[in-house]
Amino acid sequence: MAVDLNTVQLRLEKFEQIARALKKPPLYIEDAPSGFADWLNEELDRAVYLFERLPNRRPEFTVHFGFLEDLTINAIAGCPGDGWVGLNVGVIRFFDQIFKRFLSDPRVLPHIGDVSGEAIAPSPVDQSTFQFLANTHLFATAPVDEIRGGTASWMSRMFRAYLWLHEIGHVVHGHCTLLDQLRRGGLDKETGLPIGITKLSMQTLEMDADAFAASQLAQIRTVEAPFLDQFQSHLMSKRAHELTLVIFALCVGFRIWDEYPHDIGAFQSTHHSAPLRLAAMLAVIAQTMELEGLPDTGRIVATGLDLAENAFGTMIGRGLDRSAIDAALQEDGWGHQQELLKEWSRIRPMLEAHVRAGSLAPSQY
Ligand SMILES: [Zn+2]
C-alpha cells in the first residue's frame, strides 16, 4: 500500500502542535532510532486505519494521532477543533512486556507454538510487583518460540487497538466536545468537573467509549498469523479461535489493573472498576459476534475469559480466583450497570449534536 508521505508528515506535525499547546510532550518520531521510528509509524498507520474504517464517519472530520513522551500507562483524547488522540510510550512498553512475560511461561496457552523451549522459571509474580516490574528493564523477557513471540506481539497490538479505539470513541461520540462546552459554564468546586457532570456521568462516558471500542475490536480480522492455525477444528472455527485470543488479550490487560477487585459498586471515581468494565465489554463482544452470525458466542467469551483467568492466576501464583469478574457479571455488577444506563438516558441527548462517527447506543430508560 502506497503511503502519502506528505499526509503522514502533516498529520504528525499537527499532532505535535496540539500536544505542545496542551503542554504534553510529544514524542518526535524523526528523533527516534530508525528501527523504532519505523515501528511507531506502522503503529500510527494502524490507528488511522481504525479511525478511517468507522461507519457513518463525517468525511470533513479529522483525528490527529501520535505518541507522548510519558512513561505512565495512559492515553488521552481531546477535541481542540479536529480530534486529537495520543498514546503514552509507557503504554507501548508496558503491554509489550506483559504479553511477552505471559507467553514466556510454558503454562500459559500451552496449545500455542512449542512450549518445550520456554525457559522462564514458573515462579509467581505478585500483582503489584507485576505492575512495577513491567516498567523496568529488569523484566525484559521474550518467548523463545517464534510462534509464541508472534502471539505476544499480536496480543499487545490488539490491546493497543483497544486503547486507540477507546480514545477515538471519546472523540467521535462527542464526549470531549460536550465536556469542553460545559466547562465554559463553570466547574464544580468539589469535583473539578463541569457543572452538570458528576463522577457517575464520567463513568457513563467511559462505558460508552468502552462499548464503542469493544464492538470495533471484535470486528478486526487478522489476515494471517501462524498461531491462528493452532486450533482444534472439531472444537471451534478459526474465527472463533481468533476471538478467544482477542478476549484473552483484553481480559489479561484489564486484569493487571484489577487492584480493587471488590470495589464493584463505587461511584466515587471517574472510571468504574476494571471487572465491571470488562464484564460490559464482554457483553458487547458477544453481541457483535452474533451480528456476524457466529454460533456459540457464549462459549467463545467463556473460553477466552477462562484462559485469561487461568493464566493470570498462574502468573501471580494465587490460582484461579474468579470472584471479581463473577461479582461484576452478577447482581452487584448488574446494579451498577443499571445506574450507568440511567445516566446514559440523561447524557445521550446532549451528545447527539456532536457525534462524528458510529452511532450512539439507544437509551433504555
Ligand atoms: Zn476513557
Side-chain angles (χ1 to χ4, degrees), residues 166-167 170 206 271:
H166 175 98
E167 299 304 330
H170 280 314
E206 291 306 324
H271 290 64

Side-chain angles (χ1 to χ4, degrees), residues 58-359:
R58 302 258 176 96
E60 76 286 358
F61 182 69
T62 316
V63 176
H64 305 289
F65 296 94
F67 302 96
L68 296 168
E69 189 97 58
D70 185 329
L71 287 176
T72 59
I73 318 297
N74 215 348
I76 187 169
C79 269
D82 295 333
W84 181 83
V85 172
L87 203 63
N88 288 2
V89 281
V91 166
I92 297 169
R93 199 167 74 183
F94 183 77
F95 287 103
D96 185 58
Q97 305 275 25
I98 290 287
F99 289 109
K100 279 183 179 159
R101 177 68 177 78
F102 268 73
L103 270 295
S104 299
D105 191 313
R107 298 166 303 173
V108 172
L109 302 178
H111 59 292
I112 301 284
D114 174 9
V115 293
S116 61
E118 299 305 345
I120 286 292
S123 55
V125 185
D126 78 60
Q127 196 166 357
S128 52
T129 315
F130 222 136
Q131 292 184 15
F132 170 75
L133 287 180
N135 279 314
T136 71
H137 293 295
L138 291 172
F139 198 53
T141 179
V144 176
D145 181 69
E146 210 176 303
I147 290 182
R148 291 177 70 79
T151 311
S153 308
W154 176 83
M155 283 180 173
S156 38
R157 195 156 79 227
M158 291 311 278
F159 200 85
R160 285 195 306 274
Y162 156 75
L163 291 167
W164 287 121
L165 286 164
H166 175 98
E167 299 304 330
I168 293 171
H170 280 314
V171 171
V172 299
H173 277 188
H175 304 173
C176 304
T177 317
L178 175 69
L179 292 175
D180 281 351
Q181 198 181 59
L182 291 176
R183 234 170 247 132
R184 289 194 280 276
L187 298 180
D188 183 284
K189 282 197 191 77
E190 210 174 296
T191 61
L193 295 171
I195 290 168
I197 291 290
T198 61
K199 299 271 174 78
L200 177 66
S201 325
M202 296 302 280
Q203 291 191 6
T204 301
L205 296 179
E206 291 306 324
M207 176 183 71
D208 186 44
D210 273 349
F212 170 86
S215 138
Q216 290 298 320
L217 189 69
Q219 292 175 60
I220 296 177
R221 279 169 179 263
T222 304
V223 181
E224 219 183 281
F227 61 87
L228 286 183
D229 293 323
Q230 298 190 317
F231 66 103
Q232 289 173 293
S233 56
H234 62 285
L235 291 179
M236 205 168 250
S237 68
K238 188 169 171 175
R239 173 71 176 139
H241 172 61
E242 177 185 8
L243 283 158
T244 59
L245 295 179
V246 170
I247 292 166
F248 175 92
L250 192 64
C251 292
V252 161
F254 263 80
R255 249 341 201 138
I256 305 297
W257 300 112
D258 177 18
E259 287 167 271
Y260 310 103
H262 302 293
D263 206 7
I264 293 290
F267 290 105
Q268 300 86 340
S269 161
T270 54
H271 290 64
H272 44 315
S273 75
L276 265 180
R277 292 179 63 183
L278 202 48
M281 285 195 284
L282 293 179
V284 171
I285 291 176
Q287 266 171 17
T288 312
M289 290 191 292
E290 270 155 33
L291 287 174
E292 192 184 312
L294 282 169
D296 278 347
T297 55
R299 191 165 67 100
I300 298 171
V301 170
T303 306
L305 177 60
D306 283 349
L307 288 170
E309 286 292 324
N310 274 310
F312 186 73
T314 301
M315 295 299 291
I316 65 168
R318 122 187 138 184
L320 184 63
D321 174 8
R322 288 185 45 124
S323 56
I325 189 75
D326 282 345
L329 288 165
Q330 289 156 14
E331 222 167 289
D332 291 354
W334 176 249
H336 192 112
Q337 219 76 264
Q338 295 311 303
E339 293 306 313
L340 295 180
L341 289 172
K342 280 181 202 157
E343 181 65 2
W344 177 243
S345 304
R346 190 181 77 86
I347 298 281
R348 189 185 185 282
M350 298 193 250
L351 292 173
E352 264 164 1
H354 308 302
V355 176
R356 269 76 167 247
S359 46

